[in-house]
Amino acid sequence: MLLQSDKEIAGCISDIGVPFTPANLQKPNPQHIQLIFEWLAELLMNATRETIDPAMRAAAEEVCGDFMEAVPVDTRNLMGFFMSLRKLLIECGVHDFSFSDLVRPTHPRLVKIFSYVINFVRFRESQTAVIDENFNKSESTKERTEALYAENQDMEQRLENMKRNRQAMELQVKEKMKRNEEVKAKLIELNQSQKGTAEQYERLRAERTKKQKLRDERNEKLVKSRQECEKLKPYVLQSPSTLQSTLSELSDSLARDKGKIDMLERRTRALQTSSDSFGVVTNDVQGCVKVLEDISAEVQKEEEEDSRASKNREALAERGNNVREVEQQEKLLARQLARWEERTEDLRKKSKEKQRAAQDRMDELRAIQKQLREERADKGREMERRRVRIEQTEKKMADLKENIENEVHSAHEEYLKLESHIKLYITEMEQCI
């Protein structure tokens, strides 16, 4: 690389605001040279003692612990400044920069170092557009990375919300399905109960028809008996023989009637036994059975006591009203059952519609979840690449830290040697004086 002349180097250094002459370059002063290097570091790297001090203080606390005061602050900052300056000079092409160039600078070394730095600055100024473009790209990439990270966080939050909504929807669907099953079971029970009630009603209706026929027959027999009594009244005044024959005929007729009554009583007891075997039914059906039992008892009393016939007919009329009320209640129950069936059908339709809507929503959520998973996988791969880069950077930082520690130890040793030389030199000067 082309070396610059002393005059040109002095002029370039003076241009940055530090007074410098070729004589200062030929007979360098370490403090003056360190000031120039500080100006160059601040100009090219924006690194000063103030920016280096926190990092060096943290490194001293980590290395020395409670004995960090063993290393003076100025020495510590000088070591950090040396590492930053060494990094800059490596980029400029100076790979053999050492701590002695700061504390014991020489003319050839300074000419080489400053020439390399001036050439680097001139090259940098010629490539300002490219540097700005790359810097802008890095800034845009950083902003894009931050935006993608924030977007990733938002997507993860949305995914968590969707998962919670999905769980809530699944619970609602399960509850709806459970209610549908309960309604179906209840509807089946109502249908079975309806069938049983209908069968019992048909049986009771047939028995009522039989009882009505039996009652009509008994009424006809009663009327015939009264007519026969009316016919027998004229024969009361007849002769004893005639009355005897008539009485025997009536006795025979009475015996036949008693036989028929016994047969009717047996049939009544059989009907009573069959009615008792039905068990526990609804209150309305039990009322009907009681009405039929009362009717059969009243029929028997009509055969025994003619005086109670009118009362029995009134009781039968009252029982008929009860039967009509039972029929009306049955119709009302049938209408209520029809309304319940309609409501059940409406509930079934609404449940199917909601189930279809929930299924559509679930399909949509699955598609969104699949898309989010793909985006998350892409971002995960991107984050993995960044993590690898970060690990590499951390590894480099660890290596750099280790190099700094080694340089600090070596510089400290050189400092102690230099201090001993200075003390020895001062002692010799005092002795000479």
Side-chain angles (χ1 to χ4, degrees):
M1 183 175 286
L2 182 62
L3 298 178
Q4 307 294 329
S5 63
D6 295 350
K7 185 176 181 182
E8 188 173 359
I9 293 173
C12 292
I13 294 174
S14 299
D15 291 338
I16 66 174
V18 180
F20 197 74
T21 62
N24 298 130
L25 184 60
Q26 294 174 0
K27 294 180 180 181
N29 184 4
Q31 295 180 354
H32 195 192
I33 298 302
Q34 291 177 13
L35 179 61
I36 295 171
F37 279 130
E38 288 181 4
W39 275 86
L40 290 174
E42 183 177 1
L43 180 64
L44 299 176
M45 299 179 62
N46 196 22
T48 61
R49 291 181 182 270
E50 288 75 11
T51 59
I52 294 173
D53 182 67
M56 295 306 297
R57 185 186 302 111
E61 290 177 355
E62 184 176 356
V63 174
C64 300
D66 297 333
F67 302 98
M68 60 178 295
E69 298 298 333
V71 181
V73 178
D74 294 337
T75 303
R76 185 176 64 200
N77 293 337
L78 183 61
M79 296 301 103
F81 175 72
F82 167 74
M83 294 305 300
S84 300
L85 189 60
R86 183 180 181 183
K87 183 179 179 181
L88 171 62
L89 294 177
I90 289 173
E91 296 295 331
C92 294
V94 181
H95 298 282
D96 56 350
F97 184 73
S98 63
F99 194 75
S100 61
D101 293 327
L102 289 177
V103 296
R104 289 192 302 272
T106 60
H107 176 262
R109 291 289 297 171
L110 291 179
V111 169
K112 178 183 177 181
I113 293 170
F114 288 146
S115 296
Y116 276 59
V117 172
I118 291 170
N119 291 330
F120 175 76
V121 172
R122 288 176 179 175
F123 174 76
R124 179 182 175 183
E125 290 177 354
S126 64
Q127 301 294 327
T128 303
V130 178
I131 294 172
D132 293 340
E133 182 180 358
N134 292 328
F135 179 76
N136 293 330
K137 286 182 180 180
S138 64
E139 290 295 326
S140 62
T141 303
K142 183 178 178 181
E143 292 176 358
R144 178 61 177 167
T145 302
E146 293 177 355
L148 289 175
Y149 181 76
E151 186 178 356
N152 186 22
Q153 295 295 326
D154 294 337
M155 289 296 180
E156 289 180 354
Q157 186 67 27
R158 287 179 60 189
L159 181 60
E160 292 297 330
N161 294 332
M162 288 181 180
K163 287 182 179 179
R164 288 193 293 269
N165 293 332
R166 178 183 177 184
Q167 293 176 356
M169 291 293 292
E170 288 179 352
L171 292 175
Q172 292 179 1
V173 170
K174 289 181 180 178
E175 291 178 359
K176 295 293 183 182
M177 292 178 68
K178 185 178 179 181
R179 289 184 59 187
N180 288 339
E181 294 296 331
E182 292 177 356
V183 172
K184 287 180 182 178
K186 190 174 182 180
L187 180 61
I188 293 172
E189 292 177 359
L190 290 174
N191 289 330
Q192 293 176 355
S193 177
Q194 180 185 7
K195 291 180 181 178
T197 305
E199 292 176 357
Q200 292 178 0
Y201 174 72
E202 291 297 332
R203 289 196 300 269
L204 292 174
R205 189 174 181 180
E207 291 180 1
R208 186 186 67 178
T209 303
K210 291 180 181 179
K211 295 295 183 179
Q212 287 179 352
K213 289 181 180 180
L214 181 63
R215 186 192 62 184
D216 294 337
E217 291 176 357
R218 296 293 175 84
N219 288 333
E220 290 177 359
K221 289 181 179 180
L222 180 62
V223 172
K224 288 180 180 180
S225 298
R226 287 180 178 178
Q227 290 176 358
E228 290 178 357
C229 290
E230 293 294 333
K231 291 179 181 180
L232 290 174
K233 283 182 180 180
Y235 296 103
V236 174
L237 301 175
Q238 294 180 2
S239 62
S241 60
T242 304
L243 292 174
Q244 186 66 32
S245 60
T246 304
L247 182 61
S248 61
E249 292 177 358
L250 291 173
S251 298
D252 295 336
S253 176
L254 181 61
R256 288 192 299 272
D257 292 338
K258 286 182 179 180
K260 291 180 180 180
I261 289 170
D262 293 335
M263 182 181 66
L264 291 174
E265 287 179 354
R266 288 193 297 272
R267 291 183 64 185
T268 302
R269 285 193 296 271
L271 290 173
Q272 180 65 32
T273 304
S274 62
S275 65
D276 293 337
S277 64
F278 282 118
V280 179
V281 293
T282 59
N283 294 329
D284 295 331
V285 175
Q286 290 177 356
C288 293
V289 173
K290 290 179 181 180
V291 170
L292 293 174
E293 292 176 356
D294 294 336
I295 290 172
S296 63
E298 289 174 0
V299 170
Q300 292 177 0
K301 289 179 182 179
E302 284 180 357
E303 295 176 349
E304 295 175 356
E305 297 179 1
D306 295 337
S307 61
R308 296 181 181 178
S310 59
K311 294 181 181 180
N312 289 335
R313 284 193 294 272
E314 293 176 357
L316 287 173
E318 184 179 358
R319 299 300 184 276
N321 293 330
N322 292 333
V323 171
R324 284 191 295 273
E325 291 179 357
V326 170
E327 291 177 352
Q328 292 177 358
Q329 291 180 358
E330 182 183 3
K331 292 179 181 178
L332 179 61
L333 290 174
R335 287 195 296 271
Q336 291 179 355
L337 180 61
R339 286 197 298 271
W340 278 109
E341 288 178 351
E342 292 177 357
R343 292 180 183 177
T344 305
E345 188 65 26
D346 294 336
L347 289 174
R348 188 182 292 108
K349 291 179 181 178
K350 291 180 181 179
S351 176
K352 289 181 179 179
E353 292 176 357
K354 291 181 179 179
Q355 187 174 3
R356 286 195 297 271
Q359 186 66 31
D360 296 337
R361 181 61 177 169
M362 288 294 293
D363 294 337
E364 183 180 355
L365 290 175
R366 287 194 183 98
I368 295 173
Q369 185 181 12
K370 182 178 180 182
Q371 183 180 0
L372 290 175
R373 284 178 178 174
E374 292 176 356
E375 293 179 359
R376 186 175 182 180
D378 295 337
K379 292 179 181 178
R381 288 191 291 270
E382 182 65 24
M383 292 297 291
E384 184 66 22
R385 288 194 294 270
R386 292 179 187 169
R387 186 181 63 79
V388 172
R389 292 177 184 173
I390 291 171
E391 290 178 355
Q392 292 176 355
T393 305
E394 289 178 351
K395 185 176 179 181
K396 291 180 180 178
M397 291 297 293
D399 295 338
L400 181 60
K401 180 181 177 183
E402 184 178 359
N403 293 332
I404 290 173
E405 291 176 356
N406 295 330
E407 291 291 339
V408 167
H409 288 298
S410 62
H412 185 63
E413 292 175 357
E414 291 183 4
Y415 175 76
L416 294 175
K417 291 179 181 179
L418 182 61
E419 186 179 5
S420 63
H421 286 302
I422 292 172
K423 288 181 179 179
L424 180 60
Y425 178 74
I426 292 172
T427 303
E428 292 178 353
M429 290 295 294
E430 289 177 353
Q431 290 176 0
C432 291
I433 293 172

